[in-house]
Every structure is written in structure tokens, then in C-alpha cells.
Short mmCIF file of all heavy atoms in Angstrom, two decimals:
data_model
loop_
_atom_site.label_atom_id
_atom_site.label_comp_id
_atom_site.label_asym_id
_atom_site.label_seq_id
_atom_site.Cartn_x
_atom_site.Cartn_y
_atom_site.Cartn_z
N ALA A 1 0.84 -1.21 0.00
CA ALA A 1 0.00 0.00 0.00
C ALA A 1 0.87 1.25 0.00
O ALA A 1 1.92 1.30 0.66
CB ALA A 1 -0.91 0.00 1.23
N ILE A 2 0.42 2.26 -0.75
CA ILE A 2 1.19 3.51 -0.83
C ILE A 2 0.63 4.59 0.10
O ILE A 2 1.28 5.62 0.30
CB ILE A 2 1.23 4.04 -2.28
CG1 ILE A 2 -0.20 4.31 -2.81
CG2 ILE A 2 1.97 3.07 -3.19
CD1 ILE A 2 -0.23 4.96 -4.17
N ASP A 3 -0.56 4.37 0.65
CA ASP A 3 -1.08 5.30 1.66
C ASP A 3 -2.10 4.55 2.51
O ASP A 3 -2.43 3.39 2.23
CB ASP A 3 -1.70 6.56 1.03
CG ASP A 3 -2.90 6.26 0.15
OD1 ASP A 3 -3.82 5.55 0.60
OD2 ASP A 3 -2.94 6.75 -1.00
N ASN A 4 -2.61 5.20 3.57
CA ASN A 4 -3.47 4.50 4.52
C ASN A 4 -4.92 4.38 4.07
O ASN A 4 -5.77 3.94 4.83
CB ASN A 4 -3.39 5.16 5.90
CG ASN A 4 -3.90 6.60 5.88
OD1 ASN A 4 -4.29 7.12 4.84
ND2 ASN A 4 -3.85 7.23 7.04
N ASN A 5 -5.21 4.75 2.82
CA ASN A 5 -6.53 4.49 2.25
C ASN A 5 -6.54 3.24 1.36
O ASN A 5 -7.60 2.85 0.85
CB ASN A 5 -7.00 5.69 1.42
CG ASN A 5 -7.42 6.85 2.30
OD1 ASN A 5 -8.40 6.77 3.03
ND2 ASN A 5 -6.64 7.93 2.26
N GLN A 6 -5.39 2.61 1.19
CA GLN A 6 -5.26 1.43 0.33
C GLN A 6 -5.67 0.18 1.12
O GLN A 6 -4.85 -0.69 1.42
CB GLN A 6 -3.83 1.30 -0.18
CG GLN A 6 -3.35 2.52 -0.97
CD GLN A 6 -3.65 2.37 -2.45
OE1 GLN A 6 -2.98 1.62 -3.15
NE2 GLN A 6 -4.66 3.07 -2.92
N ILE A 7 -6.95 0.09 1.41
CA ILE A 7 -7.45 -0.98 2.28
C ILE A 7 -7.87 -2.21 1.48
O ILE A 7 -8.09 -2.15 0.27
CB ILE A 7 -8.64 -0.49 3.13
CG1 ILE A 7 -9.76 0.03 2.21
CG2 ILE A 7 -8.20 0.59 4.10
CD1 ILE A 7 -11.05 0.36 2.93
N ILE A 8 -7.99 -3.34 2.18
CA ILE A 8 -8.45 -4.57 1.55
C ILE A 8 -9.96 -4.49 1.32
O ILE A 8 -10.66 -3.68 1.93
CB ILE A 8 -8.12 -5.80 2.42
CG1 ILE A 8 -8.86 -5.72 3.77
CG2 ILE A 8 -6.62 -5.93 2.62
CD1 ILE A 8 -8.75 -6.99 4.60
N GLY A 9 -10.47 -5.37 0.45
CA GLY A 9 -11.90 -5.47 0.22
C GLY A 9 -12.34 -4.92 -1.12
O GLY A 9 -11.60 -4.19 -1.80
N TYR A 10 -13.57 -5.29 -1.51
CA TYR A 10 -14.13 -4.93 -2.80
C TYR A 10 -15.59 -4.50 -2.65
O TYR A 10 -16.26 -4.86 -1.68
CB TYR A 10 -14.06 -6.12 -3.77
CG TYR A 10 -12.66 -6.60 -4.05
CD1 TYR A 10 -12.06 -7.55 -3.22
CD2 TYR A 10 -11.93 -6.11 -5.13
CE1 TYR A 10 -10.77 -7.99 -3.46
CE2 TYR A 10 -10.64 -6.56 -5.39
CZ TYR A 10 -10.07 -7.50 -4.55
OH TYR A 10 -8.79 -7.93 -4.78
N ALA A 11 -16.05 -3.75 -3.64
CA ALA A 11 -17.47 -3.38 -3.70
C ALA A 11 -18.03 -3.75 -5.06
O ALA A 11 -17.45 -3.42 -6.10
CB ALA A 11 -17.64 -1.89 -3.46
N LEU A 12 -19.13 -4.50 -5.05
CA LEU A 12 -19.93 -4.70 -6.26
C LEU A 12 -20.87 -3.51 -6.36
O LEU A 12 -21.76 -3.33 -5.54
CB LEU A 12 -20.71 -6.00 -6.19
CG LEU A 12 -21.86 -6.19 -7.19
CD1 LEU A 12 -21.39 -6.02 -8.62
CD2 LEU A 12 -22.54 -7.53 -6.99
N LYS A 13 -20.66 -2.67 -7.35
CA LYS A 13 -21.44 -1.46 -7.54
C LYS A 13 -22.26 -1.62 -8.82
O LYS A 13 -21.71 -1.87 -9.88
CB LYS A 13 -20.49 -0.26 -7.64
CG LYS A 13 -21.17 1.09 -7.66
CD LYS A 13 -20.13 2.20 -7.63
CE LYS A 13 -20.79 3.57 -7.60
NZ LYS A 13 -21.56 3.85 -8.81
N ALA A 14 -23.57 -1.47 -8.71
CA ALA A 14 -24.43 -1.76 -9.87
C ALA A 14 -25.66 -0.87 -9.87
O ALA A 14 -26.04 -0.31 -8.85
CB ALA A 14 -24.84 -3.24 -9.85
N ASP A 15 -26.24 -0.74 -11.06
CA ASP A 15 -27.57 -0.15 -11.13
C ASP A 15 -28.37 -0.80 -12.25
O ASP A 15 -27.83 -1.55 -13.07
CB ASP A 15 -27.53 1.38 -11.24
CG ASP A 15 -27.14 1.89 -12.62
OD1 ASP A 15 -26.88 1.08 -13.53
OD2 ASP A 15 -27.11 3.12 -12.79
N ILE A 16 -29.67 -0.53 -12.24
CA ILE A 16 -30.59 -1.15 -13.20
C ILE A 16 -30.64 -0.29 -14.46
O ILE A 16 -30.79 0.93 -14.39
CB ILE A 16 -32.01 -1.27 -12.61
CG1 ILE A 16 -31.97 -1.92 -11.22
CG2 ILE A 16 -32.90 -2.06 -13.56
CD1 ILE A 16 -31.50 -3.32 -11.16
N LYS A 17 -30.55 -0.92 -15.59
CA LYS A 17 -30.60 -0.22 -16.88
C LYS A 17 -32.00 0.33 -17.13
O LYS A 17 -32.97 -0.43 -17.11
CB LYS A 17 -30.18 -1.18 -18.00
CG LYS A 17 -30.13 -0.53 -19.38
CD LYS A 17 -29.70 -1.55 -20.43
CE LYS A 17 -29.67 -0.93 -21.81
NZ LYS A 17 -29.30 -1.95 -22.84
N HIS A 18 -32.10 1.65 -17.33
CA HIS A 18 -33.38 2.32 -17.63
C HIS A 18 -34.48 1.87 -16.67
O HIS A 18 -35.56 1.46 -17.09
CB HIS A 18 -33.80 2.05 -19.07
CG HIS A 18 -32.78 2.45 -20.10
ND1 HIS A 18 -32.17 3.68 -20.11
CD2 HIS A 18 -32.26 1.76 -21.15
CE1 HIS A 18 -31.31 3.75 -21.12
NE2 HIS A 18 -31.34 2.60 -21.76
N TYR A 19 -34.20 1.95 -15.38
CA TYR A 19 -35.09 1.34 -14.39
C TYR A 19 -36.54 1.83 -14.48
O TYR A 19 -37.47 1.04 -14.68
CB TYR A 19 -34.55 1.57 -12.98
CG TYR A 19 -35.47 1.04 -11.90
CD1 TYR A 19 -35.97 -0.26 -11.98
CD2 TYR A 19 -35.86 1.84 -10.84
CE1 TYR A 19 -36.83 -0.75 -11.00
CE2 TYR A 19 -36.71 1.35 -9.86
CZ TYR A 19 -37.20 0.07 -9.95
OH TYR A 19 -38.04 -0.42 -9.00
N PHE A 20 -36.75 3.14 -14.34
CA PHE A 20 -38.12 3.64 -14.29
C PHE A 20 -38.88 3.38 -15.59
O PHE A 20 -40.10 3.21 -15.58
CB PHE A 20 -38.13 5.14 -13.95
CG PHE A 20 -37.96 5.42 -12.48
CD1 PHE A 20 -36.70 5.52 -11.92
CD2 PHE A 20 -39.06 5.54 -11.64
CE1 PHE A 20 -36.52 5.76 -10.57
CE2 PHE A 20 -38.90 5.77 -10.28
CZ PHE A 20 -37.63 5.89 -9.75
N GLU A 21 -38.16 3.35 -16.70
CA GLU A 21 -38.80 3.11 -17.99
C GLU A 21 -39.21 1.66 -18.19
O GLU A 21 -40.05 1.36 -19.04
CB GLU A 21 -37.85 3.52 -19.12
CG GLU A 21 -37.48 4.99 -19.13
CD GLU A 21 -36.35 5.28 -20.10
OE1 GLU A 21 -36.20 4.52 -21.08
OE2 GLU A 21 -35.60 6.25 -19.88
N THR A 22 -38.63 0.73 -17.42
CA THR A 22 -38.84 -0.70 -17.69
C THR A 22 -39.60 -1.44 -16.59
O THR A 22 -39.77 -2.66 -16.68
CB THR A 22 -37.49 -1.39 -17.94
OG1 THR A 22 -36.60 -1.12 -16.85
CG2 THR A 22 -36.85 -0.88 -19.22
N VAL A 23 -40.05 -0.74 -15.55
CA VAL A 23 -40.86 -1.40 -14.53
C VAL A 23 -42.13 -1.95 -15.18
O VAL A 23 -42.86 -1.24 -15.87
CB VAL A 23 -41.23 -0.40 -13.40
CG1 VAL A 23 -42.34 -0.97 -12.51
CG2 VAL A 23 -40.01 -0.07 -12.57
N ASP A 24 -42.38 -3.23 -14.97
CA ASP A 24 -43.52 -3.91 -15.57
C ASP A 24 -44.75 -3.75 -14.68
O ASP A 24 -44.75 -4.14 -13.52
CB ASP A 24 -43.18 -5.40 -15.75
CG ASP A 24 -44.26 -6.16 -16.49
OD1 ASP A 24 -45.26 -6.51 -15.85
OD2 ASP A 24 -44.10 -6.39 -17.70
N HIS A 25 -45.82 -3.16 -15.23
CA HIS A 25 -47.01 -2.87 -14.43
C HIS A 25 -47.66 -4.13 -13.88
O HIS A 25 -48.12 -4.16 -12.73
CB HIS A 25 -48.04 -2.10 -15.28
CG HIS A 25 -47.59 -0.74 -15.68
ND1 HIS A 25 -48.36 0.12 -16.43
CD2 HIS A 25 -46.43 -0.06 -15.42
CE1 HIS A 25 -47.71 1.26 -16.62
NE2 HIS A 25 -46.53 1.16 -16.03
N GLU A 26 -47.72 -5.17 -14.68
CA GLU A 26 -48.37 -6.41 -14.24
C GLU A 26 -47.62 -7.01 -13.05
O GLU A 26 -48.24 -7.45 -12.07
CB GLU A 26 -48.41 -7.41 -15.40
CG GLU A 26 -49.19 -8.67 -15.07
CD GLU A 26 -49.30 -9.62 -16.26
OE1 GLU A 26 -49.05 -9.19 -17.40
OE2 GLU A 26 -49.62 -10.81 -16.03
N ILE A 27 -46.29 -7.01 -13.12
CA ILE A 27 -45.50 -7.53 -12.00
C ILE A 27 -45.67 -6.65 -10.78
O ILE A 27 -45.85 -7.14 -9.65
CB ILE A 27 -44.01 -7.64 -12.40
CG1 ILE A 27 -43.82 -8.70 -13.49
CG2 ILE A 27 -43.15 -7.98 -11.17
CD1 ILE A 27 -42.41 -8.77 -14.04
N LEU A 28 -45.62 -5.33 -10.97
CA LEU A 28 -45.79 -4.40 -9.85
C LEU A 28 -47.13 -4.61 -9.15
O LEU A 28 -47.19 -4.70 -7.92
CB LEU A 28 -45.67 -2.95 -10.34
CG LEU A 28 -45.95 -1.87 -9.30
CD1 LEU A 28 -44.98 -1.95 -8.12
CD2 LEU A 28 -45.88 -0.48 -9.95
N ILE A 29 -48.20 -4.71 -9.92
CA ILE A 29 -49.53 -4.92 -9.33
C ILE A 29 -49.58 -6.24 -8.58
O ILE A 29 -50.16 -6.33 -7.49
CB ILE A 29 -50.63 -4.86 -10.42
CG1 ILE A 29 -50.77 -3.43 -10.96
CG2 ILE A 29 -51.96 -5.35 -9.88
CD1 ILE A 29 -51.28 -2.42 -9.96
N SER A 30 -48.95 -7.27 -9.13
CA SER A 30 -48.95 -8.57 -8.45
C SER A 30 -48.22 -8.49 -7.11
O SER A 30 -48.63 -9.12 -6.13
CB SER A 30 -48.32 -9.65 -9.34
OG SER A 30 -46.92 -9.47 -9.46
N LEU A 31 -47.15 -7.69 -7.05
CA LEU A 31 -46.42 -7.51 -5.79
C LEU A 31 -47.26 -6.73 -4.78
O LEU A 31 -47.27 -7.04 -3.59
CB LEU A 31 -45.10 -6.78 -6.05
CG LEU A 31 -44.08 -7.52 -6.92
CD1 LEU A 31 -42.87 -6.63 -7.20
CD2 LEU A 31 -43.64 -8.82 -6.27
N ILE A 32 -47.96 -5.71 -5.25
CA ILE A 32 -48.82 -4.92 -4.36
C ILE A 32 -49.97 -5.78 -3.84
O ILE A 32 -50.34 -5.70 -2.66
CB ILE A 32 -49.35 -3.67 -5.09
CG1 ILE A 32 -48.18 -2.72 -5.40
CG2 ILE A 32 -50.42 -2.96 -4.27
CD1 ILE A 32 -48.55 -1.55 -6.30
N LYS A 33 -50.52 -6.63 -4.69
CA LYS A 33 -51.65 -7.49 -4.30
C LYS A 33 -51.27 -8.53 -3.25
O LYS A 33 -52.15 -9.09 -2.60
CB LYS A 33 -52.23 -8.19 -5.53
CG LYS A 33 -53.13 -7.30 -6.38
CD LYS A 33 -53.72 -8.10 -7.53
CE LYS A 33 -54.73 -7.28 -8.31
NZ LYS A 33 -55.31 -8.07 -9.43
N LYS A 34 -49.99 -8.78 -3.09
CA LYS A 34 -49.58 -9.69 -2.02
C LYS A 34 -49.95 -9.13 -0.66
O LYS A 34 -50.15 -9.89 0.30
CB LYS A 34 -48.06 -9.93 -2.08
CG LYS A 34 -47.60 -10.80 -3.24
CD LYS A 34 -46.09 -10.99 -3.17
CE LYS A 34 -45.57 -11.86 -4.31
NZ LYS A 34 -44.10 -12.06 -4.23
N LYS A 35 -50.02 -7.80 -0.56
CA LYS A 35 -50.36 -7.15 0.71
C LYS A 35 -51.73 -6.49 0.69
O LYS A 35 -52.42 -6.46 1.71
CB LYS A 35 -49.31 -6.08 1.04
CG LYS A 35 -47.90 -6.59 1.16
CD LYS A 35 -47.74 -7.57 2.30
CE LYS A 35 -48.02 -6.97 3.65
NZ LYS A 35 -47.94 -7.99 4.74
N ILE A 36 -52.13 -5.93 -0.44
CA ILE A 36 -53.36 -5.14 -0.52
C ILE A 36 -54.44 -5.96 -1.22
O ILE A 36 -54.30 -6.30 -2.40
CB ILE A 36 -53.13 -3.82 -1.30
CG1 ILE A 36 -51.98 -3.03 -0.68
CG2 ILE A 36 -54.41 -3.00 -1.34
CD1 ILE A 36 -52.21 -2.56 0.73
N LYS A 37 -55.52 -6.27 -0.50
CA LYS A 37 -56.62 -7.05 -1.05
C LYS A 37 -57.88 -6.20 -1.25
O LYS A 37 -58.98 -6.72 -1.32
CB LYS A 37 -56.95 -8.23 -0.12
CG LYS A 37 -55.80 -9.20 0.08
CD LYS A 37 -55.37 -9.85 -1.21
CE LYS A 37 -54.26 -10.87 -1.00
NZ LYS A 37 -53.79 -11.48 -2.25
N ASP A 38 -57.67 -4.90 -1.35
CA ASP A 38 -58.78 -3.96 -1.58
C ASP A 38 -58.80 -3.61 -3.06
O ASP A 38 -57.90 -2.93 -3.57
CB ASP A 38 -58.57 -2.71 -0.72
CG ASP A 38 -59.77 -1.77 -0.75
OD1 ASP A 38 -60.34 -1.59 -1.84
OD2 ASP A 38 -60.11 -1.22 0.31
N ASP A 39 -59.82 -4.07 -3.79
CA ASP A 39 -59.88 -3.89 -5.25
C ASP A 39 -59.93 -2.42 -5.65
O ASP A 39 -59.43 -2.05 -6.72
CB ASP A 39 -61.10 -4.61 -5.81
CG ASP A 39 -60.97 -6.12 -5.76
OD1 ASP A 39 -59.81 -6.60 -5.66
OD2 ASP A 39 -61.99 -6.83 -5.82
N LYS A 40 -60.51 -1.58 -4.81
CA LYS A 40 -60.61 -0.16 -5.17
C LYS A 40 -59.24 0.52 -5.07
O LYS A 40 -58.94 1.42 -5.87
CB LYS A 40 -61.63 0.54 -4.27
CG LYS A 40 -63.07 0.09 -4.55
CD LYS A 40 -64.06 0.80 -3.64
CE LYS A 40 -65.48 0.35 -3.92
NZ LYS A 40 -66.46 1.01 -3.01
#
């Protein structure tokens, strides 16, 4: 190490491609329905 910030360890850094544009409504509703049983 050349300075005291050269520590061991790694980070997996990721994000979702075009996240908000690709959320599937049918899947989202199915996830909400797992908790919410009010049709209105």
C-alpha cells in the first residue's frame, strides 16, 4: 500500500438499466396485491 486508504476489500457497484422506464405494471400490481386485497 502507498497510503493508509489502500485498504483490503471490494465493492460490487451496480444499477438497473433504464429502471423507471422498464418497470412492468403487471408484475408491480402482483407484488402490491400480495399485501393489498382492496380492489378499489
Side-chain angles (χ1 to χ4, degrees):
I2 59 174
D3 63 50
N4 63 359
N5 286 293
Q6 302 270 285
I7 57 172
I8 63 171
Y10 299 87
L12 164 55
K13 188 175 181 296
D15 76 359
I16 310 295
K17 183 180 179 182
H18 303 311
Y19 176 50
F20 280 87
E21 298 169 26
T22 54
V23 167
D24 186 280
H25 294 180
E26 186 177 343
I27 294 174
L28 175 60
I29 291 294
S30 71
L31 296 175
I32 294 171
K33 282 183 174 180
K34 288 181 180 181
K35 301 297 297 177
I36 306 296
K37 299 299 182 182
D38 188 319
D39 290 339
K40 291 180 180 178

